[in-house]
Amino acid sequence: MTNSPMVSAVEIHKSFGSNEVLKGINLEVNKGEVLCLIGPSGSGKSTFLRCINHLEKIDSGRLSVDGAIIGYREHNGKLYELKPSEAAKQRSGIGMVFQRFNLFPHMTALDNVTSGMIRVQSIDKDTATKEGMALLDRVGLSEKANHYPAHLSGGQQQRVAIARALAMKPKLMLFDEPTSALDPELVGEVLDVMKGLAQSGMTMLVVTHEMGFAKEVADSVIFMDNGVVVESGKPSDVLNNPQHERTKSFLSKVI
C-alpha cells in the first residue's frame, strides 16, 4: 500500500433529496501533499470533505484513504457499510478542522486536546497531558492550557481545534474553511500553524478562500463549481493562468 495515494476519489456522487451536490468527483492526493479546494459557496467542496471521513455517505463511487475504502468493506466484489463503531475507528485516523471550532465549552484548552486521547485511545492521563501540552506548544498556545474556549479569541480557539485533531495522530488532515469565521487580523495565526503542518509533511485537504495560502502552500489546486471539478493543476497554473472562463470569473472576484 506504500505507493497508493493517500486520498483516491472515483466518480463520487452525492445528493440531498433532489439536489445533486456532487456530480462525479475524481481526484487523487498523494502522501505528503497539500490540496486546496476553491470555488463559490454551494459548489460541493465542504460536502466532498465530509464524505472523505464518512460524516456524509456517498451515493455512488469509491472513496479510499491510504488504500482503505471509507465507510465500507469489500467482500466478493460487493460493498458493505461498516458498523458505526468501525467507521468511527476509521475516522480517528483522519483529523478534521471545521469552520466553527466545535470545542467543548466546559473543558479547558488542554482538556479539549487530551479528551480524545484518554477516551478513544485509552492513553493514561499523565501521558496525554504531556502530549497535549506539546501540541498546544506546537500551535503557540501552551500558556493558554487552562483557559476555557470562552476566554480565547477565535484564532486561538481554531488553533486549539487543530491541536485536538493532531492529538489523534492522523495520517490525513481535512480543513473546512478554517479561517472563514475569524476576524481578518486573526487569520494569519491559523494559516501559520497550517503552513507548519504542511512543511512537516502532513497530507492536507483544505477548503479555503485564502488564495495567498493556496499559492504559497498547496501542491495542487482544484476549482469546483456546481458539483464538478472545473479545473485542476499546480497553483501557479490554476490561480495565475486559468483556462476556463468560469475559473477566470471566480478568481477575478476573489484575487
Side-chain angles (χ1 to χ4, degrees), residues 71-88:
Y72 300 87
R73 61 182 174 84
E74 192 168 20
H75 183 69
N76 291 339
K78 284 189 174 182
L79 293 180
Y80 298 88
E81 189 169 1
L82 296 178
K83 296 174 185 172
S85 60
E86 294 172 321

Side-chain angles (χ1 to χ4, degrees), residues 8 114 128 134 217:
S8 172
T114 59
V217 179

